[in-house]
Amino acid sequence: MFIKRFIAIFLVLLMFLSMCTLCTSALTEEEITSPSAVLIEPTTLKILYEKNPHERRACASITKVMTLLLVMEAIEEGKIAYDDVVTTSQHAKSMGGSDIWLEVGEQMTVDEMIKATAVASANDAAVALAEHLCGSESDFVALMNTRAKELGMENTVFKNCNGLDEEGHLTTAFDVALMSAELIKHEKIFEYTTIWIDTLRDGETQIVNTNKLLKSYDGITGLKTGTTGDAGSCISATAQRNSMSLVGVVLGATTGTERFKDAAALLDFGFANYEILKFDAKKSELKEIEVKNGMQKSVNVECKGITNMVVAKGSKERVEQSVKLKESIDAPVEKGQKVGTLTYTLDDEKVSVFDVVTSKEVEKMTFKAVFFELMNALVAM
């Protein structure tokens, strides 16, 4: 009897401890001490945590995420190349703050300037890249603002390309997350943002990454830090574990230590509580659909596309799939004509919807079409 009572009490204690663990998995505002922060999954842009995500603030050198994005896009489009030679202007040399002490007329490749910008957060290198791409920093900044609007960064205005304090140069944690998610689509950037120590000028200049999480956080891949008087200490931190990537943004931290602590807490929360569920619509079993008055009685249908969904850990088994198709369609039928939907739901909430379409065209039945079909059959005999 005593043993049974002991076992019962032990099991109750285990359940209690388990419940306590689940309760502490939530991330509170008190744990994130910085005034503004957000955590997203970059392929879906799903927000996993937010604290004043749309509060407009200075962001210091996190500005360079957009600078690097435009440079990577220009390289991909063939407008510039990694081995292009960039010549330093007086304007680029004049930048203060973090830099690599470029001299007027000094030349480096685009590759080296990207490295200086991403690793050492060099303000002079960022301006040199901007001028190389657009001719002037002002024209480059106009391009930055245009691209920001395209990405849905509704609360962002850039005044320069490096993040030095300037009146009206403002963004939000959410907007920073959006441009960070876009930048890491260019996986080449990780070859720069994961560098800890490197050199420039044939080994004469050593650069050390400003992102100290590279030495302490499992799975960290970047992305950019920033510190100024107006902005405080900021970071856009990216990390990947298994098949899931995360972007954690912290703005306005009091110290660099606080910035890194908050970023790590954001990423820890995401990896501990969420996972990626990938849907491949091509693998769904879909039946033929009847065609009325067509040269064929039916047509095959298909569903294309792959999408990711972020779900709470342990909820994958509750995801359900349902197909809704028209009973029949009238000829003529075009290839790719929508005839239904494939829907995934989690706890009765829609999480992903695909169009089901016809896989080929079907001609309408006419005397002329039937005649040619018969002639072709006779020739084949």
Side-chain angles (χ1 to χ4, degrees), residues 39-48 240-246 266-279 307-319 346 351:
L39 175 71
I40 71 164
E41 193 285 317
T43 64
T44 61
L45 301 182
K46 181 178 176 66
I47 297 175
L48 306 181
Q240 181 171 355
R241 292 182 187 172
N242 300 320
S243 61
M244 186 166 73
S245 295
L246 294 173
L266 287 172
L267 297 172
D268 282 344
F269 171 74
F271 287 126
N273 291 281
Y274 296 94
E275 60 186 329
I276 288 289
L277 181 58
K278 181 169 286 189
F279 299 124
T307 189
N308 289 343
M309 172 189 169
V310 184
V311 297
K313 283 190 173 179
S315 64
K316 279 185 176 182
E317 293 72 17
R318 303 201 305 275
V319 175
L346 173 61
V351 293

Coordinates of all heavy atoms in Angstrom, one line a residue, residues 39-48 240-246 266-279 307-319 346 351:
L39 N 10.7 38.6 -33.0 CA 11.3 37.3 -33.5 C 10.4 36.8 -34.6 O 9.1 36.7 -34.4 CB 11.3 36.3 -32.3 CG 11.8 34.9 -32.7 CD1 13.3 34.8 -33.0 CD2 11.5 33.9 -31.6
I40 N 10.9 36.5 -35.7 CA 10.1 35.9 -36.8 C 10.8 34.7 -37.4 O 12.0 34.5 -37.3 CB 9.9 36.9 -38.0 CG1 11.3 37.2 -38.7 CG2 9.3 38.2 -37.5 CD1 11.1 37.9 -40.1
E41 N 10.0 33.9 -38.1 CA 10.5 32.8 -39.0 C 10.6 33.4 -40.4 O 9.5 33.9 -40.9 CB 9.6 31.6 -38.9 CG 10.1 30.3 -39.5 CD 10.1 30.3 -41.0 OE1 9.1 30.8 -41.6 OE2 11.2 30.0 -41.6
P42 N 11.7 33.4 -41.0 CA 11.9 34.3 -42.2 C 11.2 33.8 -43.5 O 11.0 34.6 -44.4 CB 13.4 34.3 -42.4 CG 13.9 33.1 -41.7 CD 13.0 32.9 -40.5
T43 N 10.9 32.5 -43.6 CA 10.3 32.0 -44.9 C 8.8 32.3 -44.9 O 8.2 32.5 -45.9 CB 10.5 30.5 -45.1 OG1 9.9 29.8 -44.1 CG2 12.0 30.2 -45.1
T44 N 8.2 32.4 -43.7 CA 6.8 32.6 -43.6 C 6.5 34.1 -43.1 O 5.4 34.5 -43.2 CB 6.1 31.6 -42.7 OG1 6.7 31.8 -41.4 CG2 6.3 30.2 -43.1
L45 N 7.5 34.7 -42.5 CA 7.4 36.0 -41.9 C 6.4 35.9 -40.7 O 5.9 37.0 -40.2 CB 7.0 37.1 -42.8 CG 7.9 37.3 -44.0 CD1 7.4 38.4 -44.9 CD2 9.3 37.6 -43.6
K46 N 6.2 34.8 -40.1 CA 5.4 34.6 -39.0 C 6.0 35.2 -37.7 O 7.2 34.9 -37.5 CB 5.0 33.1 -38.7 CG 4.1 32.9 -37.5 CD 3.8 31.4 -37.4 CE 3.0 31.2 -36.1 NZ 1.6 31.8 -36.2
I47 N 5.3 36.0 -37.0 CA 5.9 36.6 -35.8 C 5.7 35.6 -34.6 O 4.5 35.2 -34.3 CB 5.1 38.0 -35.5 CG1 5.4 39.0 -36.6 CG2 5.6 38.5 -34.1 CD1 4.6 40.3 -36.4
L48 N 6.8 35.3 -34.0 CA 6.7 34.4 -32.9 C 6.8 35.1 -31.5 O 6.4 34.5 -30.5 CB 7.9 33.4 -33.0 CG 8.0 32.6 -34.3 CD1 9.2 31.7 -34.3 CD2 6.7 31.9 -34.6
Q240 N 20.2 29.2 -37.3 CA 19.5 28.0 -37.9 C 19.9 26.8 -37.1 O 21.0 26.5 -36.8 CB 19.9 27.8 -39.4 CG 19.2 26.6 -40.0 CD 19.4 26.6 -41.5 OE1 20.1 27.5 -42.1 NE2 18.9 25.5 -42.2
R241 N 18.8 26.0 -36.8 CA 19.0 24.7 -36.2 C 18.1 23.7 -37.0 O 16.9 24.0 -37.1 CB 18.7 24.7 -34.7 CG 19.7 25.5 -33.9 CD 19.3 25.5 -32.4 NE 20.1 26.4 -31.6 CZ 19.9 26.6 -30.3 NH1 18.9 26.0 -29.7 NH2 20.7 27.4 -29.7
N242 N 18.7 22.6 -37.3 CA 17.9 21.6 -38.1 C 17.4 22.3 -39.4 O 18.1 22.9 -40.1 CB 16.9 21.0 -37.3 CG 17.4 20.2 -36.1 OD1 18.5 19.6 -36.2 ND2 16.8 20.4 -34.9
S243 N 16.1 22.3 -39.6 CA 15.5 22.8 -40.8 C 14.9 24.2 -40.6 O 14.2 24.8 -41.5 CB 14.4 21.9 -41.4 OG 13.4 21.7 -40.4
M244 N 15.0 24.8 -39.4 CA 14.4 26.1 -39.1 C 15.4 27.2 -38.9 O 16.3 27.0 -38.2 CB 13.5 25.9 -37.9 CG 12.7 27.2 -37.6 SD 11.3 27.0 -36.4 CE 12.3 26.9 -34.9
S245 N 15.1 28.3 -39.6 CA 15.9 29.5 -39.4 C 15.0 30.5 -38.6 O 13.8 30.5 -38.7 CB 16.3 30.1 -40.7 OG 17.1 29.3 -41.4
L246 N 15.7 31.4 -37.9 CA 15.0 32.5 -37.1 C 15.7 33.8 -37.3 O 16.9 33.8 -37.5 CB 14.9 32.1 -35.6 CG 14.1 30.9 -35.2 CD1 14.3 30.6 -33.8 CD2 12.6 31.1 -35.6
L266 N 15.5 35.5 -27.4 CA 14.6 35.4 -28.5 C 14.8 34.1 -29.3 O 13.8 33.3 -29.5 CB 14.7 36.6 -29.4 CG 14.2 37.9 -28.9 CD1 14.6 39.0 -29.9 CD2 12.7 37.9 -28.7
L267 N 16.0 33.9 -29.7 CA 16.3 32.7 -30.5 C 16.0 31.4 -29.7 O 15.5 30.4 -30.2 CB 17.7 32.7 -31.0 CG 18.1 33.9 -31.9 CD1 19.6 34.0 -32.2 CD2 17.3 33.8 -33.2
D268 N 16.4 31.4 -28.4 CA 16.2 30.2 -27.6 C 14.7 29.9 -27.5 O 14.3 28.7 -27.6 CB 16.7 30.4 -26.2 CG 18.2 30.2 -26.1 OD1 18.8 29.7 -27.0 OD2 18.8 30.7 -25.1
F269 N 13.9 30.9 -27.3 CA 12.4 30.8 -27.2 C 11.9 30.2 -28.5 O 11.0 29.2 -28.5 CB 11.8 32.1 -27.0 CG 10.3 32.1 -27.1 CD1 9.5 31.5 -26.1 CD2 9.7 32.7 -28.2 CE1 8.1 31.5 -26.2 CE2 8.3 32.7 -28.3 CZ 7.5 32.1 -27.3
G270 N 12.3 30.7 -29.7 CA 11.8 30.2 -30.9 C 12.2 28.7 -31.2 O 11.3 27.9 -31.6
F271 N 13.4 28.4 -30.9 CA 13.9 27.0 -31.2 C 13.3 26.0 -30.2 O 13.0 24.8 -30.5 CB 15.4 26.9 -31.1 CG 16.1 27.5 -32.3 CD1 17.1 28.5 -32.1 CD2 15.8 27.1 -33.6 CE1 17.7 29.0 -33.2 CE2 16.4 27.7 -34.7 CZ 17.4 28.6 -34.5
A272 N 13.0 26.5 -29.0 CA 12.4 25.6 -28.0 C 10.9 25.3 -28.2 O 10.4 24.2 -27.8 CB 12.6 26.2 -26.6
N273 N 10.2 26.2 -28.8 CA 8.8 26.1 -28.9 C 8.1 25.9 -30.2 O 7.0 25.6 -30.3 CB 8.2 27.4 -28.2 CG 8.4 27.5 -26.8 OD1 7.7 26.8 -26.0 ND2 9.4 28.3 -26.4
Y274 N 8.9 26.1 -31.3 CA 8.4 26.0 -32.6 C 9.2 25.1 -33.5 O 10.4 24.8 -33.3 CB 8.3 27.4 -33.3 CG 7.3 28.3 -32.5 CD1 7.8 29.2 -31.6 CD2 6.0 28.3 -32.8 CE1 6.9 30.0 -30.9 CE2 5.1 29.1 -32.1 CZ 5.6 30.0 -31.1 OH 4.7 30.8 -30.5
E275 N 8.5 24.6 -34.6 CA 9.2 23.8 -35.6 C 8.6 24.1 -37.0 O 7.5 24.6 -37.1 CB 9.1 22.3 -35.3 CG 7.7 21.8 -35.2 CD 7.8 20.3 -34.7 OE1 8.7 19.6 -35.0 OE2 6.8 19.9 -34.0
I276 N 9.3 23.7 -38.0 CA 8.8 23.9 -39.4 C 8.1 22.6 -39.9 O 8.6 21.5 -39.7 CB 10.0 24.2 -40.3 CG1 10.5 25.6 -40.1 CG2 9.5 24.1 -41.8 CD1 9.6 26.7 -40.6
L277 N 6.9 22.9 -40.5 CA 6.2 21.8 -41.2 C 6.1 22.2 -42.6 O 5.6 23.2 -43.0 CB 4.8 21.6 -40.6 CG 3.9 20.5 -41.1 CD1 4.6 19.2 -41.0 CD2 2.5 20.5 -40.5
K278 N 6.6 21.3 -43.5 CA 6.7 21.6 -44.9 C 5.6 20.9 -45.6 O 5.5 19.6 -45.5 CB 8.1 21.3 -45.5 CG 8.2 21.6 -47.0 CD 9.7 21.5 -47.4 CE 10.5 22.6 -46.9 NZ 11.9 22.6 -47.5
F279 N 4.8 21.6 -46.4 CA 3.8 20.9 -47.3 C 4.3 20.9 -48.7 O 4.8 21.8 -49.3 CB 2.5 21.8 -47.2 CG 1.9 21.9 -45.9 CD1 1.7 23.2 -45.4 CD2 1.6 20.8 -45.1 CE1 1.1 23.3 -44.1 CE2 1.0 21.0 -43.9 CZ 0.8 22.2 -43.4
T307 N 5.3 24.9 -49.5 CA 5.2 26.0 -48.5 C 5.6 25.5 -47.1 O 5.4 24.3 -46.8 CB 3.8 26.6 -48.5 OG1 3.9 27.8 -47.7 CG2 2.8 25.7 -47.9
N308 N 6.1 26.4 -46.3 CA 6.4 26.1 -44.9 C 5.4 26.7 -44.0 O 4.8 27.7 -44.3 CB 7.8 26.7 -44.5 CG 9.0 26.1 -45.2 OD1 8.8 25.0 -45.7 ND2 10.1 26.7 -45.2
M309 N 5.2 26.0 -42.9 CA 4.3 26.4 -41.9 C 5.0 26.3 -40.6 O 5.7 25.3 -40.3 CB 3.0 25.6 -41.9 CG 2.1 25.9 -40.7 SD 0.8 24.7 -40.6 CE 0.1 25.1 -39.0
V310 N 4.9 27.3 -39.7 CA 5.5 27.3 -38.4 C 4.4 26.8 -37.4 O 3.4 27.4 -37.3 CB 6.0 28.6 -38.0 CG1 6.7 28.5 -36.6 CG2 7.0 29.2 -39.0
V311 N 4.7 25.7 -36.7 CA 3.7 25.2 -35.7 C 4.4 25.0 -34.4 O 5.6 24.9 -34.3 CB 3.2 23.8 -36.2 CG1 2.4 24.0 -37.5 CG2 4.3 22.8 -36.4
A312 N 3.6 25.1 -33.4 CA 4.1 24.8 -32.0 C 4.6 23.4 -32.0 O 3.9 22.5 -32.6 CB 3.0 25.0 -31.0
K313 N 5.7 23.1 -31.3 CA 6.2 21.8 -31.2 C 5.1 20.8 -30.6 O 4.4 21.2 -29.6 CB 7.4 21.7 -30.3 CG 8.7 22.2 -31.1 CD 10.0 22.0 -30.3 CE 11.2 22.3 -31.2 NZ 12.4 22.1 -30.5
G314 N 5.0 19.7 -31.2 CA 4.0 18.7 -30.8 C 2.7 18.8 -31.4 O 1.8 18.0 -31.1
S315 N 2.5 19.7 -32.3 CA 1.1 19.9 -32.9 C 1.1 19.4 -34.4 O 0.0 19.5 -35.0 CB 0.8 21.4 -32.9 OG 1.6 22.2 -33.7
K316 N 2.2 18.9 -34.9 CA 2.2 18.4 -36.3 C 1.1 17.4 -36.6 O 0.4 17.4 -37.6 CB 3.5 17.8 -36.6 CG 4.6 18.7 -37.0 CD 5.9 18.0 -37.4 CE 7.0 18.9 -37.9 NZ 8.2 18.2 -38.3
E317 N 0.8 16.5 -35.6 CA -0.1 15.4 -35.8 C -1.6 15.9 -35.9 O -2.4 15.2 -36.4 CB -0.1 14.4 -34.6 CG 1.2 13.7 -34.5 CD 2.4 14.5 -34.0 OE1 2.2 15.6 -33.5 OE2 3.6 14.1 -34.2
R318 N -1.8 17.2 -35.5 CA -3.2 17.7 -35.6 C -3.4 18.5 -36.9 O -4.5 19.0 -37.1 CB -3.4 18.7 -34.4 CG -3.2 18.0 -33.0 CD -3.9 18.8 -31.9 NE -3.6 20.2 -31.9 CZ -2.5 20.7 -31.2 NH1 -1.7 19.8 -30.6 NH2 -2.2 21.9 -31.1
V319 N -2.4 18.5 -37.8 CA -2.6 19.2 -39.1 C -3.4 18.2 -40.0 O -3.0 17.1 -40.2 CB -1.3 19.6 -39.7 CG1 -1.5 20.1 -41.1 CG2 -0.5 20.6 -38.8
L346 N -5.0 23.5 -38.9 CA -4.5 23.1 -37.6 C -5.6 23.6 -36.6 O -5.8 24.8 -36.5 CB -3.2 23.7 -37.3 CG -2.6 23.5 -35.9 CD1 -2.4 22.0 -35.6 CD2 -1.3 24.2 -35.8
V351 N -4.2 27.1 -42.4 CA -2.8 27.5 -42.3 C -2.1 27.6 -43.7 O -1.1 28.3 -43.8 CB -2.0 26.6 -41.4 CG1 -2.5 26.7 -39.9 CG2 -2.1 25.1 -41.8

